[in-house]
Amino acid sequence: MESPATRSVTMNTEIALRRLNGKVKLLTAMANLFLEDAPQLHEQLHQAVRARSSAQIVRHAHSLRGLAAPFEATRFMQLAEEIEQHGSDGVSSGLLRLVDEFDAELLRLTDAVKTLCK
Amino acid sequence: MALALVVDDDRSMRFLVEKSLEEIQVKVTAASTAKEGLSLISAQRPDVVLLDIMLPDRSGLEVLRDIQAIDRRLPVIFVTSDNDSGTAIEAMHLGAYDYIFKPLDILQLNRLVQNAITSRQLMNVPVALAADLEARPDGKSFVGHSPEMLEVFKVIGRVAAQNVPVLIRGESGTGKELAAQALYQHSHRCDGPFIAINCAALPDTLLESELFGHEKGSFTGADRRRVGKFEQCDGGTILLDEVGDMALVVQGKVLRLLQDQRFERLGGNEVISTDVRIIAATNRPLEQMVADKTFRADLFYRLNGITISLPPLRSRRDDIPLLLKYFLSQSKSMLNKPHVEGLSPECLEILSRYDWPGNVREMQSVVQQAVLNSIGPIIIPEFLPRELTCPTRVDSAASEAGPAILAPVTVETSPAPVTNGQSLGDIGPFIEQRLLEKSTNLSTEVIEHVEYYLYTRVLEATNGNQSQAAEILGVTRGKIRDRIKAFNISIEKRVRNVTDPED
């Protein structure tokens, strides 16, 4: 179970709802789409890293960043952006460390987003 | 119903846009690739495109060029999650309508899309200068046979092709925006953009930023660089509507732009060149404002090179029957009331005698309401809005208050057109009633009902002081004036004697 402090970094429901003009159902629907699409995009990102395909790394990190944006997932989006920046220069040890951190943050974000669907 | 195309490979984004635009009655069609999007543009002819900058198959910037090849006037709004505004600015230079950052704020998105659709309509709908009676479904016709209107048509024809500023003057509702559209459509800039800005609708700083753009950090909330309308409209035409409501500081910048087509973004030093034709419109007494030093004389002379004066409806009464016929035909088709045959003689008599303070716009609204209210083929006086059949006294404005001792200002209103003067507490029954009556415009009617209450209440609270009311409501004084006129709110300073027994 994550602590409230971690959760506030991972996702900010208040800001997310404000952007959606307070529409809780819409946020829930967006959460469901996130839970459906994120695993596939995440797998594609790992495939791109394994294939050392810079263009695909940038592409999939960008897509994941866009997918998480409605939830004000600032930490996750920041890591995705860093992967986009590093990814365009090829696969380095720095990029692999970032991807590890990104994976862990995705797990946290997924857990947080799941709470919106209850 | 307007149609928007969203091109984004993120299906949650496509979903969000669809749900968001549902609220403003805009239908959405979607594509996940550039190729699919381009083919939908050719097949479905949308009114606006929301385009992701980073698509799987191509860059959105390249796609914009292809869209322009298909339809140069189609407004394209870029959607980007890039924090770097460089790409967005490049997009604007390439001719994008605007850009919006992810995550999307749905109210901002709806506003932007609505503006883009209006802009598209302004650019696309030809304005009929001829005095024909064929009602256009979109209501964009200059109708008139009177010598006054024929003179207006001639001036528009003469000056449209000249690359000079034009000042359009006339009372509210006389068709100033239509005249500007006609000038644009008959000019050599008709392939360029046409943007209309209502100077009275924005607070001063926002207007300056809207027109000239701003640099990041130039004011609180300016978290990114923004391209202004003058930069965006390079090669096109800008209508500065309600120019008399423009703050002096903005007037100075507009003057400089008129003189040498150069300006700086708010908070910036870079001098930017643009090639924009300016059309200004106002119903304010600019000469008096120049004398009062609230409008720059040099700007007035610059704008006033060629003036088109639109006559009020009451001074071209010959056109009234023609206009009534035109709006009847339009309303029948728009409201799906094909059985309506026309006006009864009594009704025509009332409408012909009426002074039409709101001019053609008011007539359009009155006819629309009459057609909406009608239950048979002939429109009788009963179906007309009450203010026409039982005119209420409209008191003189507060500024005309006489001498003696003034009691607190009383804000009096005539009934709002649709709400029949009900209070805010009646909103529930009002909605129910309109639902039973199968209203097709309920959103507008309810908003009007609430606005009507709000403006009268706040003006009452400020004793009729419009500046204070503007401050409380967070709107411009121009907006307050506009609402006072639209709702026929009368601000009366009652003169009373100190020995009045009522005291």
Side-chain angles (χ1 to χ4, degrees), chain A residues 14-30 69-71, chain B residues 12-26 28 50 77 79 100-115:
Chain A
E14 195 186 326
I15 296 178
L17 265 176
R18 202 183 308 144
R19 283 208 192 92
L20 299 180
N21 199 22
K23 295 183 189 308
V24 177
K25 276 187 183 168
L26 188 52
L27 185 64
T28 306
M30 298 292 289
F71 309 102
Chain B
S12 71
M13 201 47 55
R14 300 195 297 269
F15 171 81
L16 180 60
V17 169
E18 189 184 336
K19 291 289 162 201
S20 176
L21 298 188
E22 251 175 27
E23 292 194 356
I24 53 167
Q25 284 82 46
V26 172
V28 175
L50 288 148
I77 298 169
V79 182
I100 186 167
F101 290 95
K102 290 179 188 175
L104 296 181
D105 178 312
I106 64 172
L107 292 180
Q108 187 194 4
L109 173 73
N110 289 359
R111 254 194 317 269
L112 198 55
V113 167
Q114 193 62 69
N115 289 344

Short mmCIF file of all heavy atoms in Angstrom, two decimals, chain A residues 14-30 69-71, chain B residues 12-26 28 50 77 79 100-115:
data_model
loop_
_atom_site.label_atom_id
_atom_site.label_comp_id
_atom_site.label_asym_id
_atom_site.label_seq_id
_atom_site.Cartn_x
_atom_site.Cartn_y
_atom_site.Cartn_z
N GLU A 14 -6.89 16.03 -7.92
CA GLU A 14 -7.57 17.33 -7.83
C GLU A 14 -7.34 18.15 -9.10
O GLU A 14 -8.27 18.68 -9.71
CB GLU A 14 -7.04 18.07 -6.61
CG GLU A 14 -7.90 19.23 -6.20
CD GLU A 14 -7.27 20.02 -5.07
OE1 GLU A 14 -6.61 19.42 -4.22
OE2 GLU A 14 -7.43 21.25 -5.08
N ILE A 15 -6.07 18.23 -9.50
CA ILE A 15 -5.76 19.01 -10.72
C ILE A 15 -6.37 18.32 -11.94
O ILE A 15 -6.93 18.97 -12.82
CB ILE A 15 -4.23 19.16 -10.89
CG1 ILE A 15 -3.66 19.98 -9.73
CG2 ILE A 15 -3.88 19.82 -12.22
CD1 ILE A 15 -2.16 20.16 -9.75
N ALA A 16 -6.27 16.98 -11.94
CA ALA A 16 -6.81 16.23 -13.09
C ALA A 16 -8.30 16.51 -13.25
O ALA A 16 -8.79 16.78 -14.36
CB ALA A 16 -6.58 14.75 -12.88
N LEU A 17 -9.02 16.51 -12.14
CA LEU A 17 -10.47 16.75 -12.20
C LEU A 17 -10.79 18.18 -12.59
O LEU A 17 -11.75 18.44 -13.32
CB LEU A 17 -11.10 16.44 -10.84
CG LEU A 17 -11.67 15.04 -10.68
CD1 LEU A 17 -12.16 14.84 -9.27
CD2 LEU A 17 -12.79 14.78 -11.68
N ARG A 18 -9.97 19.11 -12.10
CA ARG A 18 -10.20 20.51 -12.45
C ARG A 18 -10.13 20.69 -13.97
O ARG A 18 -10.92 21.38 -14.57
CB ARG A 18 -9.17 21.39 -11.75
CG ARG A 18 -9.63 22.82 -11.59
CD ARG A 18 -8.59 23.70 -10.97
NE ARG A 18 -8.05 23.17 -9.72
CZ ARG A 18 -6.78 23.29 -9.35
NH1 ARG A 18 -5.91 23.89 -10.12
NH2 ARG A 18 -6.37 22.81 -8.20
N ARG A 19 -9.15 20.04 -14.58
CA ARG A 19 -8.99 20.15 -16.03
C ARG A 19 -10.18 19.55 -16.77
O ARG A 19 -10.50 19.95 -17.88
CB ARG A 19 -7.73 19.42 -16.48
CG ARG A 19 -6.49 20.19 -16.19
CD ARG A 19 -5.42 19.83 -17.19
NE ARG A 19 -4.18 20.35 -16.70
CZ ARG A 19 -3.33 19.68 -15.93
NH1 ARG A 19 -3.58 18.44 -15.61
NH2 ARG A 19 -2.23 20.24 -15.52
N LEU A 20 -10.80 18.56 -16.13
CA LEU A 20 -11.96 17.92 -16.78
C LEU A 20 -13.26 18.56 -16.31
O LEU A 20 -14.32 17.96 -16.43
CB LEU A 20 -11.96 16.42 -16.48
CG LEU A 20 -10.73 15.63 -16.97
CD1 LEU A 20 -10.87 14.17 -16.61
CD2 LEU A 20 -10.54 15.78 -18.47
N ASN A 21 -13.14 19.74 -15.76
CA ASN A 21 -14.31 20.48 -15.29
C ASN A 21 -15.12 19.68 -14.29
O ASN A 21 -16.35 19.68 -14.33
CB ASN A 21 -15.17 20.89 -16.51
CG ASN A 21 -16.13 22.02 -16.18
OD1 ASN A 21 -15.91 22.76 -15.23
ND2 ASN A 21 -17.19 22.12 -16.95
N GLY A 22 -14.41 18.93 -13.43
CA GLY A 22 -15.07 18.19 -12.36
C GLY A 22 -15.78 16.92 -12.77
O GLY A 22 -16.53 16.35 -11.98
N LYS A 23 -15.56 16.46 -13.97
CA LYS A 23 -16.29 15.28 -14.46
C LYS A 23 -15.61 13.99 -14.01
O LYS A 23 -14.67 13.51 -14.65
CB LYS A 23 -16.40 15.34 -15.98
CG LYS A 23 -17.23 16.51 -16.45
CD LYS A 23 -17.38 16.53 -17.93
CE LYS A 23 -18.02 17.79 -18.42
NZ LYS A 23 -19.27 18.15 -17.79
N VAL A 24 -16.13 13.44 -12.93
CA VAL A 24 -15.52 12.24 -12.33
C VAL A 24 -15.63 11.05 -13.29
O VAL A 24 -14.69 10.28 -13.46
CB VAL A 24 -16.21 11.92 -10.98
CG1 VAL A 24 -15.65 10.65 -10.38
CG2 VAL A 24 -16.04 13.08 -10.03
N LYS A 25 -16.80 10.92 -13.93
CA LYS A 25 -17.01 9.78 -14.84
C LYS A 25 -16.00 9.81 -15.99
O LYS A 25 -15.53 8.77 -16.44
CB LYS A 25 -18.43 9.80 -15.41
CG LYS A 25 -19.44 9.17 -14.51
CD LYS A 25 -20.78 9.08 -15.21
CE LYS A 25 -21.82 8.52 -14.27
NZ LYS A 25 -23.17 8.68 -14.81
N LEU A 26 -15.72 11.01 -16.44
CA LEU A 26 -14.77 11.15 -17.55
C LEU A 26 -13.37 10.73 -17.10
O LEU A 26 -12.65 10.04 -17.82
CB LEU A 26 -14.78 12.60 -18.06
CG LEU A 26 -13.99 12.92 -19.33
CD1 LEU A 26 -14.35 11.98 -20.47
CD2 LEU A 26 -14.23 14.36 -19.76
N LEU A 27 -13.03 11.12 -15.88
CA LEU A 27 -11.71 10.74 -15.35
C LEU A 27 -11.63 9.22 -15.19
O LEU A 27 -10.61 8.60 -15.49
CB LEU A 27 -11.45 11.45 -14.01
CG LEU A 27 -10.06 11.23 -13.42
CD1 LEU A 27 -8.99 11.82 -14.33
CD2 LEU A 27 -9.94 11.86 -12.03
N THR A 28 -12.72 8.62 -14.74
CA THR A 28 -12.75 7.16 -14.59
C THR A 28 -12.57 6.48 -15.95
O THR A 28 -11.82 5.51 -16.08
CB THR A 28 -14.08 6.71 -13.96
OG1 THR A 28 -14.26 7.44 -12.75
CG2 THR A 28 -14.09 5.23 -13.67
N ALA A 29 -13.25 7.02 -16.94
CA ALA A 29 -13.13 6.44 -18.28
C ALA A 29 -11.69 6.57 -18.79
O ALA A 29 -11.15 5.64 -19.40
CB ALA A 29 -14.09 7.13 -19.24
N MET A 30 -11.07 7.71 -18.51
CA MET A 30 -9.68 7.92 -18.93
C MET A 30 -8.76 6.93 -18.19
O MET A 30 -7.80 6.42 -18.75
CB MET A 30 -9.22 9.35 -18.61
CG MET A 30 -10.00 10.44 -19.33
SD MET A 30 -9.73 10.45 -21.09
CE MET A 30 -8.06 11.05 -21.16
N ALA A 69 -0.59 11.99 -18.99
CA ALA A 69 -0.76 13.43 -18.77
C ALA A 69 -2.07 13.82 -18.07
O ALA A 69 -2.05 14.66 -17.17
CB ALA A 69 -0.63 14.16 -20.10
N PRO A 70 -3.21 13.21 -18.43
CA PRO A 70 -4.46 13.66 -17.80
C PRO A 70 -4.47 13.47 -16.28
O PRO A 70 -5.28 14.08 -15.59
CB PRO A 70 -5.53 12.77 -18.45
CG PRO A 70 -4.93 12.32 -19.73
CD PRO A 70 -3.46 12.21 -19.48
N PHE A 71 -3.59 12.60 -15.74
CA PHE A 71 -3.63 12.31 -14.30
C PHE A 71 -2.64 13.17 -13.52
O PHE A 71 -2.43 12.96 -12.34
CB PHE A 71 -3.35 10.82 -14.05
CG PHE A 71 -4.22 9.94 -14.88
CD1 PHE A 71 -3.73 9.33 -16.04
CD2 PHE A 71 -5.55 9.77 -14.56
CE1 PHE A 71 -4.55 8.56 -16.83
CE2 PHE A 71 -6.38 8.99 -15.35
CZ PHE A 71 -5.88 8.39 -16.50
N SER B 12 -6.95 7.55 -25.89
CA SER B 12 -7.56 8.23 -24.75
C SER B 12 -7.75 9.72 -25.08
O SER B 12 -8.70 10.36 -24.64
CB SER B 12 -6.73 8.05 -23.48
OG SER B 12 -5.54 8.78 -23.55
N MET B 13 -6.84 10.25 -25.88
CA MET B 13 -6.96 11.65 -26.29
C MET B 13 -8.14 11.82 -27.25
O MET B 13 -8.90 12.77 -27.14
CB MET B 13 -5.64 12.08 -26.96
CG MET B 13 -5.39 13.55 -26.99
SD MET B 13 -5.68 14.38 -25.42
CE MET B 13 -4.64 13.44 -24.32
N ARG B 14 -8.28 10.89 -28.17
CA ARG B 14 -9.41 10.96 -29.11
C ARG B 14 -10.73 10.88 -28.33
O ARG B 14 -11.67 11.61 -28.60
CB ARG B 14 -9.33 9.82 -30.13
CG ARG B 14 -8.05 9.84 -30.98
CD ARG B 14 -8.19 8.94 -32.20
NE ARG B 14 -8.39 7.54 -31.90
CZ ARG B 14 -7.42 6.62 -31.76
NH1 ARG B 14 -6.16 6.98 -31.92
NH2 ARG B 14 -7.71 5.36 -31.50
N PHE B 15 -10.75 10.01 -27.34
CA PHE B 15 -11.94 9.84 -26.51
C PHE B 15 -12.25 11.13 -25.75
O PHE B 15 -13.39 11.61 -25.71
CB PHE B 15 -11.69 8.67 -25.54
CG PHE B 15 -12.75 8.51 -24.49
CD1 PHE B 15 -13.95 7.86 -24.77
CD2 PHE B 15 -12.56 9.02 -23.20
CE1 PHE B 15 -14.92 7.71 -23.79
CE2 PHE B 15 -13.53 8.87 -22.23
CZ PHE B 15 -14.72 8.22 -22.52
N LEU B 16 -11.19 11.70 -25.16
CA LEU B 16 -11.38 12.93 -24.36
C LEU B 16 -11.91 14.07 -25.22
O LEU B 16 -12.83 14.80 -24.82
CB LEU B 16 -10.04 13.32 -23.72
CG LEU B 16 -10.05 14.56 -22.84
CD1 LEU B 16 -11.02 14.41 -21.68
CD2 LEU B 16 -8.66 14.86 -22.29
N VAL B 17 -11.35 14.22 -26.41
CA VAL B 17 -11.79 15.30 -27.30
C VAL B 17 -13.26 15.09 -27.67
O VAL B 17 -14.07 16.02 -27.65
CB VAL B 17 -10.90 15.36 -28.57
CG1 VAL B 17 -11.50 16.27 -29.61
CG2 VAL B 17 -9.49 15.82 -28.19
N GLU B 18 -13.61 13.85 -27.97
CA GLU B 18 -14.98 13.55 -28.37
C GLU B 18 -15.95 13.91 -27.25
O GLU B 18 -16.96 14.58 -27.47
CB GLU B 18 -15.10 12.08 -28.73
CG GLU B 18 -16.43 11.74 -29.36
CD GLU B 18 -16.57 10.25 -29.63
OE1 GLU B 18 -15.54 9.56 -29.77
OE2 GLU B 18 -17.72 9.81 -29.69
N LYS B 19 -15.61 13.48 -26.04
CA LYS B 19 -16.51 13.73 -24.91
C LYS B 19 -16.59 15.23 -24.60
O LYS B 19 -17.64 15.76 -24.24
CB LYS B 19 -16.02 12.99 -23.65
CG LYS B 19 -16.18 11.50 -23.74
CD LYS B 19 -17.65 11.13 -23.67
CE LYS B 19 -17.89 9.71 -24.18
NZ LYS B 19 -19.26 9.48 -24.59
N SER B 20 -15.46 15.89 -24.72
CA SER B 20 -15.41 17.31 -24.41
C SER B 20 -16.25 18.12 -25.41
O SER B 20 -17.05 18.98 -25.03
CB SER B 20 -13.95 17.77 -24.44
OG SER B 20 -13.86 19.14 -24.25
N LEU B 21 -16.08 17.84 -26.70
CA LEU B 21 -16.77 18.64 -27.72
C LEU B 21 -18.26 18.32 -27.81
O LEU B 21 -19.02 19.11 -28.35
CB LEU B 21 -16.10 18.46 -29.08
CG LEU B 21 -14.64 18.91 -29.16
CD1 LEU B 21 -14.14 18.87 -30.60
CD2 LEU B 21 -14.44 20.30 -28.60
N GLU B 22 -18.65 17.16 -27.25
CA GLU B 22 -20.08 16.84 -27.19
C GLU B 22 -20.84 17.98 -26.52
O GLU B 22 -21.96 18.31 -26.89
CB GLU B 22 -20.27 15.60 -26.31
CG GLU B 22 -20.67 14.35 -27.05
CD GLU B 22 -20.72 13.15 -26.12
OE1 GLU B 22 -20.95 13.32 -24.91
OE2 GLU B 22 -20.50 12.03 -26.62
N GLU B 23 -20.19 18.59 -25.53
CA GLU B 23 -20.86 19.63 -24.74
C GLU B 23 -21.15 20.89 -25.53
O GLU B 23 -21.99 21.70 -25.15
CB GLU B 23 -20.00 20.00 -23.53
CG GLU B 23 -19.93 18.86 -22.57
CD GLU B 23 -19.39 19.27 -21.23
OE1 GLU B 23 -19.00 20.44 -21.08
OE2 GLU B 23 -19.35 18.41 -20.35
N ILE B 24 -20.39 21.12 -26.60
CA ILE B 24 -20.67 22.31 -27.41
C ILE B 24 -21.30 21.91 -28.75
O ILE B 24 -21.21 22.62 -29.74
CB ILE B 24 -19.41 23.19 -27.60
CG1 ILE B 24 -18.23 22.38 -28.16
CG2 ILE B 24 -19.04 23.89 -26.33
CD1 ILE B 24 -17.09 23.25 -28.66
N GLN B 25 -21.91 20.74 -28.74
CA GLN B 25 -22.61 20.23 -29.92
C GLN B 25 -21.72 20.19 -31.16
O GLN B 25 -22.11 20.61 -32.25
CB GLN B 25 -23.87 21.06 -30.23
CG GLN B 25 -25.05 20.81 -29.30
CD GLN B 25 -24.91 21.57 -28.02
OE1 GLN B 25 -24.60 22.74 -28.02
NE2 GLN B 25 -25.12 20.90 -26.89
N VAL B 26 -20.50 19.72 -30.96
CA VAL B 26 -19.61 19.53 -32.11
C VAL B 26 -19.37 18.03 -32.25
O VAL B 26 -18.98 17.36 -31.30
CB VAL B 26 -18.26 20.27 -31.90
CG1 VAL B 26 -17.28 19.93 -33.00
CG2 VAL B 26 -18.49 21.78 -31.86
N VAL B 28 -17.51 14.69 -33.57
CA VAL B 28 -16.08 14.41 -33.73
C VAL B 28 -15.87 13.17 -34.59
O VAL B 28 -16.54 12.15 -34.41
CB VAL B 28 -15.41 14.20 -32.35
CG1 VAL B 28 -13.95 13.78 -32.52
CG2 VAL B 28 -15.48 15.49 -31.52
N LEU B 50 -7.99 18.97 -35.04
CA LEU B 50 -7.08 18.93 -33.88
C LEU B 50 -6.00 17.93 -34.22
O LEU B 50 -6.28 16.75 -34.42
CB LEU B 50 -7.85 18.48 -32.63
CG LEU B 50 -8.81 19.54 -32.11
CD1 LEU B 50 -10.03 18.91 -31.47
CD2 LEU B 50 -8.12 20.44 -31.11
N ILE B 77 -5.72 23.12 -35.21
CA ILE B 77 -5.23 23.38 -33.85
C ILE B 77 -4.26 22.25 -33.50
O ILE B 77 -4.64 21.07 -33.53
CB ILE B 77 -6.39 23.40 -32.84
CG1 ILE B 77 -7.36 24.53 -33.18
CG2 ILE B 77 -5.87 23.55 -31.42
CD1 ILE B 77 -8.68 24.49 -32.40
N VAL B 79 -2.12 19.92 -31.11
CA VAL B 79 -2.15 19.44 -29.73
C VAL B 79 -0.77 18.86 -29.47
O VAL B 79 -0.30 18.02 -30.22
CB VAL B 79 -3.21 18.34 -29.55
CG1 VAL B 79 -3.27 17.89 -28.10
CG2 VAL B 79 -4.57 18.84 -30.00
N ILE B 100 -2.56 23.90 -28.46
CA ILE B 100 -2.99 23.66 -27.09
C ILE B 100 -2.11 22.56 -26.51
O ILE B 100 -1.72 21.64 -27.23
CB ILE B 100 -4.50 23.29 -27.06
CG1 ILE B 100 -5.02 23.17 -25.64
CG2 ILE B 100 -4.81 22.03 -27.83
CD1 ILE B 100 -6.55 23.12 -25.55
N PHE B 101 -1.76 22.72 -25.25
CA PHE B 101 -0.85 21.76 -24.64
C PHE B 101 -1.60 20.65 -23.90
O PHE B 101 -2.65 20.89 -23.33
CB PHE B 101 0.08 22.47 -23.65
CG PHE B 101 1.07 23.38 -24.33
CD1 PHE B 101 0.82 24.73 -24.48
CD2 PHE B 101 2.25 22.86 -24.84
CE1 PHE B 101 1.72 25.56 -25.12
CE2 PHE B 101 3.17 23.69 -25.47
CZ PHE B 101 2.91 25.04 -25.62
N LYS B 102 -1.01 19.46 -23.96
CA LYS B 102 -1.50 18.35 -23.12
C LYS B 102 -0.90 18.53 -21.73
O LYS B 102 0.24 18.98 -21.64
CB LYS B 102 -1.06 17.00 -23.69
CG LYS B 102 -1.74 16.61 -24.98
CD LYS B 102 -1.19 15.27 -25.44
CE LYS B 102 -1.71 14.91 -26.83
NZ LYS B 102 -1.11 13.69 -27.36
N PRO B 103 -1.59 18.17 -20.67
CA PRO B 103 -2.93 17.60 -20.65
C PRO B 103 -3.99 18.66 -20.98
O PRO B 103 -3.84 19.82 -20.60
CB PRO B 103 -3.08 17.12 -19.21
CG PRO B 103 -2.07 17.90 -18.42
CD PRO B 103 -0.96 18.23 -19.34
N LEU B 104 -5.03 18.20 -21.65
CA LEU B 104 -6.04 19.14 -22.12
C LEU B 104 -6.94 19.61 -20.98
O LEU B 104 -7.36 18.82 -20.15
CB LEU B 104 -6.91 18.47 -23.18
CG LEU B 104 -6.23 18.06 -24.48
CD1 LEU B 104 -7.26 17.45 -25.43
CD2 LEU B 104 -5.56 19.24 -25.16
N ASP B 105 -7.23 20.89 -21.02
CA ASP B 105 -8.24 21.48 -20.14
C ASP B 105 -9.49 21.57 -21.01
O ASP B 105 -9.49 22.26 -22.04
CB ASP B 105 -7.77 22.87 -19.69
CG ASP B 105 -8.80 23.57 -18.82
OD1 ASP B 105 -9.97 23.58 -19.22
OD2 ASP B 105 -8.43 24.10 -17.77
N ILE B 106 -10.54 20.87 -20.62
CA ILE B 106 -11.65 20.73 -21.57
C ILE B 106 -12.40 22.04 -21.83
O ILE B 106 -12.90 22.25 -22.92
CB ILE B 106 -12.62 19.57 -21.22
CG1 ILE B 106 -13.33 19.80 -19.91
CG2 ILE B 106 -11.92 18.25 -21.21
CD1 ILE B 106 -14.41 18.74 -19.67
N LEU B 107 -12.44 22.93 -20.84
CA LEU B 107 -13.12 24.21 -21.09
C LEU B 107 -12.32 25.04 -22.09
O LEU B 107 -12.88 25.65 -23.01
CB LEU B 107 -13.30 24.99 -19.78
CG LEU B 107 -14.27 24.38 -18.78
CD1 LEU B 107 -14.36 25.23 -17.52
CD2 LEU B 107 -15.65 24.20 -19.38
N GLN B 108 -10.98 25.01 -21.91
CA GLN B 108 -10.12 25.75 -22.84
C GLN B 108 -10.24 25.15 -24.24
O GLN B 108 -10.33 25.87 -25.24
CB GLN B 108 -8.68 25.65 -22.33
CG GLN B 108 -7.72 26.51 -23.09
CD GLN B 108 -6.26 26.15 -22.79
OE1 GLN B 108 -5.97 25.21 -22.06
NE2 GLN B 108 -5.35 26.91 -23.34
N LEU B 109 -10.26 23.82 -24.29
CA LEU B 109 -10.38 23.14 -25.59
C LEU B 109 -11.68 23.54 -26.29
O LEU B 109 -11.69 23.88 -27.48
CB LEU B 109 -10.34 21.62 -25.37
CG LEU B 109 -10.61 20.78 -26.61
CD1 LEU B 109 -9.44 20.82 -27.58
CD2 LEU B 109 -10.91 19.33 -26.25
N ASN B 110 -12.78 23.50 -25.53
CA ASN B 110 -14.08 23.82 -26.13
C ASN B 110 -14.11 25.25 -26.65
O ASN B 110 -14.64 25.53 -27.73
CB ASN B 110 -15.20 23.60 -25.11
CG ASN B 110 -15.42 22.13 -24.82
OD1 ASN B 110 -14.76 21.28 -25.39
ND2 ASN B 110 -16.34 21.83 -23.93
N ARG B 111 -13.53 26.17 -25.86
CA ARG B 111 -13.51 27.58 -26.29
C ARG B 111 -12.73 27.73 -27.59
O ARG B 111 -13.17 28.38 -28.53
CB ARG B 111 -12.83 28.42 -25.21
CG ARG B 111 -13.79 29.28 -24.41
CD ARG B 111 -13.08 30.34 -23.60
NE ARG B 111 -11.88 29.91 -22.93
CZ ARG B 111 -11.84 29.42 -21.69
NH1 ARG B 111 -12.95 29.26 -21.00
NH2 ARG B 111 -10.70 29.08 -21.13
N LEU B 112 -11.58 27.10 -27.61
CA LEU B 112 -10.69 27.22 -28.77
C LEU B 112 -11.35 26.64 -30.03
O LEU B 112 -11.32 27.24 -31.11
CB LEU B 112 -9.39 26.47 -28.45
CG LEU B 112 -8.16 26.77 -29.28
CD1 LEU B 112 -7.86 28.25 -29.26
CD2 LEU B 112 -6.96 26.00 -28.72
N VAL B 113 -11.97 25.47 -29.87
CA VAL B 113 -12.61 24.82 -31.01
C VAL B 113 -13.79 25.67 -31.49
O VAL B 113 -13.98 25.88 -32.69
CB VAL B 113 -13.07 23.39 -30.64
CG1 VAL B 113 -14.01 22.81 -31.69
CG2 VAL B 113 -11.85 22.49 -30.46
N GLN B 114 -14.55 26.21 -30.54
CA GLN B 114 -15.69 27.05 -30.91
C GLN B 114 -15.21 28.28 -31.69
O GLN B 114 -15.79 28.64 -32.72
CB GLN B 114 -16.43 27.49 -29.64
CG GLN B 114 -17.78 28.11 -29.89
CD GLN B 114 -18.75 27.13 -30.55
OE1 GLN B 114 -19.18 26.17 -29.95
NE2 GLN B 114 -19.06 27.36 -31.82
N ASN B 115 -14.14 28.90 -31.22
CA ASN B 115 -13.59 30.08 -31.93
C ASN B 115 -13.11 29.70 -33.32
O ASN B 115 -13.31 30.44 -34.28
CB ASN B 115 -12.42 30.68 -31.15
CG ASN B 115 -12.88 31.37 -29.89
OD1 ASN B 115 -14.06 31.64 -29.73
ND2 ASN B 115 -11.96 31.64 -28.98
#
